[in-house]
Amino acid sequence: MKKIYIIYERAGRIEDVKGGIYLENKLLVRKQLLFTTIIATLVLCACAKEKIVSDDVSTEENRTVSDGVSIEENSDLAASQEETDVIDHTKSPKSREEVNIDAESTALYDKFLADEVKATFYKKGDNSDLYFLSAFLKDGENYTLSEIIDGEISYRRDKYQENLKFDVFKDSYIDCGLDGDIEMVVEIYFEESHFPLYMIIKNVAGSLKVCFAGSNSGRKGTDIEYNGVVSEYLSFGRESNIENYAYIDAKGDYNSWYENENHRYFGGDEGDTLYDCFNVDSNIFRGVEELRVSFIRFDNEQEYAQFFLLDDYDGEEIDDVPINGVNPYDEARKILTEKGYPIISSEEATTLIDNRRREIGLTDEIYSY
C-alpha cells in the first residue's frame, strides 16, 4: 500500500447551505473543507460525535416535489465555521417542472413512486449506513419502493427493536453526466426521524436502476449535485472528520473519486494527543499547540496523501521556518518520514486528484457545471 505525504499551505472552510452541505473542492483537496471541522479518527484518537441534522419535514399524505436534497448542520458545527461563501444553487437537484424528462422515464419514475414497477438494487452504490440497505436487499435483485421501505422497517424492528414508521417521500431530479437523460432522486423520511434516506434512480433501457443510496445521520451529511457528483461528510466532532467523493456517471454507474480524512491533535492545556499519537517528547514541538494532519485515499490505487499544518498557542498558523533554532515542520517531517510517509508537493497532490477525476469520466465540462 503506497502512502504519500503532502505539506498543506492554508486552512479553509466548509460551507453550510440550504441545498445541502456543499463541499467545494476545485482547489487542492477541496481547500474550503479542510480544518474548520476535522475528520474521522480511524487510526489514532477517539473523538466526541457532533450532530448534523436535516431540516424537519412535515407529514404529508401524498408525494411532494422537493427543491433538492438538503441538510443542516447543528449550531455547534455552525459555530465552528468562520465564514460562508455564496453557493450556486443550480448545482442542487431540481423539481419535476424544472427539467425535461423523456416520456418513457416519466412513466417509469411515476410507476416506481406508485409502487407499480421495481428497480434493481446495486450494492456498489450503497452508502446508506444508517438504513443498512445492503443488509436486507440483495445485489442485482429488483424491489418496489414499498418493499424497500417495508424492508427497512422490518430490519430495524428485528435487529434493533425499533418501531420505525414511514412518513413521506419526495422526488427531485438530476442529470448524471449532463447527457440529457434525467435521473430521479427519492428522499424517504420516517416518523420522528430527522434523517432521510436518499436513492438515485435511473432509467436504463426501460428498466430502473438504484445507482446510489445514501443517508444522513447524527454525524453524517450527504449532498447530491445536479451533475451526478455525490459528496458525503462524516463528523466525529472538532477533532476529526472524513469527506468522501464519488461520481454517478451517465450510465448510472457509481465511481469512487477520493476520500479525504482529517485529524487534529492537541498538546499543552488541550490534552496530550499530540504527543501520545506521535509518541514524541513534548519538547520536540516547541510552541506548538495543535497539529493537523490530512490523508487522501484513492480506491483505484489505494494511495494515501497526507499533509499537515501547525498552530501556536494563540491559534495562529506557524510558519515553516526555524523557531529558536528549531523548525517544528522539520521535526514533523522527520517523524512522518520515519513512519514511512514519502513527501510530495501540493501541486503533485492536485495532479493525483485531477487524474483520478478524469479517469472516472468526470470531465472538466461536467465537473465545472
Side-chain angles (χ1 to χ4, degrees):
M1 184 177 294
K2 184 179 179 182
K3 297 184 179 181
I4 305 169
Y5 199 84
I6 303 172
I7 306 303
Y8 186 60
E9 295 155 349
R10 305 299 302 182
R13 308 288 179 260
I14 179 170
E15 314 304 339
D16 177 25
V17 297
K18 177 64 180 174
I21 295 179
Y22 176 71
L23 304 178
E24 175 63 46
N25 61 358
K26 294 184 180 179
L27 301 179
L28 169 63
V29 196
R30 307 291 213 242
K31 287 188 178 180
Q32 279 76 9
L33 284 171
L34 208 41
F35 306 146
T36 42
T37 46
I38 319 250
I39 25 182
T41 323
L42 301 181
V43 279
L44 297 170
C45 301
C47 310
K49 294 181 180 179
E50 182 172 27
K51 282 194 173 183
I52 303 175
V53 184
S54 70
D55 293 333
D56 290 338
V57 179
S58 60
T59 302
E60 302 176 36
E61 294 182 358
N62 299 319
R63 72 175 178 87
T64 59
V65 178
S66 71
D67 292 327
V69 178
S70 65
I71 66 173
E72 289 184 359
E73 300 170 293
N74 72 350
S75 57
D76 290 339
L77 185 57
S80 69
Q81 300 171 1
E82 298 179 19
E83 63 182 30
T84 300
D85 293 338
V86 176
I87 300 301
D88 184 358
H89 290 273
T90 61
K91 292 179 176 291
S92 300
K94 303 180 187 299
S95 69
R96 174 75 68 91
E97 292 74 21
E98 294 177 291
V99 295
N100 184 21
I101 313 177
D102 65 272
E104 181 183 67
S105 295
T106 299
L108 285 171
Y109 294 156
D110 284 343
K111 287 181 179 180
F112 180 76
L113 296 175
D115 227 35
E116 297 174 1
V117 299
K118 298 185 176 185
T120 306
F121 174 75
Y122 289 97
K123 186 175 181 178
K124 182 179 180 181
D126 178 26
N127 291 339
S128 56
D129 299 328
L130 177 67
Y131 291 101
F132 314 105
L133 294 190
S134 290
F136 59 89
L137 300 180
K138 295 183 178 179
D139 188 40
E141 295 199 4
N142 303 320
Y143 300 91
T144 64
L145 180 58
S146 66
E147 286 174 336
I148 295 172
I149 294 171
D150 292 344
E152 177 63 32
I153 293 173
S154 297
Y155 179 81
R156 297 285 280 274
R157 182 185 61 242
D158 297 341
K159 185 76 173 179
Y160 301 104
Q161 291 73 55
E162 292 185 43
N163 187 25
L164 200 66
K165 294 181 180 179
F166 170 67
D167 183 7
V168 66
F169 62 78
K170 300 181 178 184
D171 60 308
S172 57
Y173 298 87
I174 60 177
D175 184 1
C176 296
L178 303 181
D179 64 342
D181 292 335
I182 302 299
E183 290 76 26
M184 178 172 64
V185 178
V186 181
E187 280 178 82
I188 301 172
Y189 290 86
F190 296 88
E191 290 183 3
E192 299 181 359
S193 173
H194 294 286
F195 309 130
L197 166 66
Y198 306 128
M199 293 189 298
I200 297 178
I201 310 294
K202 180 177 178 60
N203 172 21
V204 180
S207 298
L208 294 183
K209 174 181 181 178
V210 181
C211 309
F212 170 79
S215 64
N216 291 342
S217 69
R219 57 191 176 94
K220 177 185 176 183
T222 299
D223 183 51
I224 298 173
E225 296 184 27
Y226 185 76
N227 58 6
V229 173
V230 176
S231 52
E232 299 171 287
Y233 178 82
L234 181 65
S235 173
F236 289 90
R238 75 188 189 108
E239 293 183 0
S240 62
N241 62 41
I242 188 166
E243 305 124 21
N244 183 32
Y245 302 93
Y247 169 55
I248 314 301
D249 62 26
K251 296 182 294 183
D253 292 337
Y254 178 90
N255 301 275
S256 176
W257 183 6
Y258 72 92
E259 186 175 82
N260 191 29
E261 178 186 331
N262 297 312
H263 298 272
R264 193 175 185 180
Y265 309 109
F266 298 97
D269 295 337
E270 292 284 348
D272 297 324
T273 59
L274 175 59
Y275 310 115
D276 292 344
C277 292
F278 286 88
N279 193 27
V280 297
D281 183 90
S282 61
N283 290 324
I284 288 182
F285 291 115
R286 296 180 179 88
V288 177
E289 166 66 9
E290 182 179 332
L291 171 63
R292 288 176 272 179
V293 182
S294 185
F295 305 79
I296 305 169
R297 182 175 295 111
F298 299 91
D299 283 352
N300 61 331
E301 295 179 356
Q302 290 299 302
E303 294 186 344
Y304 293 81
Q306 272 185 286
F307 48 93
F308 64 88
L309 185 68
L310 302 174
D311 283 351
D312 63 20
Y313 286 91
D314 293 323
E316 298 295 328
E317 181 182 333
I318 295 175
D319 292 329
D320 190 356
V321 296
I323 301 174
N324 297 325
V326 177
N327 186 341
Y329 284 91
D330 285 342
E331 299 295 331
R333 280 190 279 262
K334 178 181 177 181
I335 292 170
L336 291 161
T337 299
E338 290 174 350
K339 289 179 177 290
Y341 301 114
I343 298 173
I344 66 172
S345 68
S346 60
E347 290 78 13
E348 289 171 312
T350 301
T351 299
L352 284 174
I353 294 169
D354 284 345
N355 286 347
R356 176 58 181 162
R357 173 173 63 81
R358 296 184 180 96
E359 182 181 313
I360 62 176
L362 188 51
T363 63
D364 293 347
E365 180 182 3
I366 298 171
Y367 177 56
S368 62
Y369 170 82

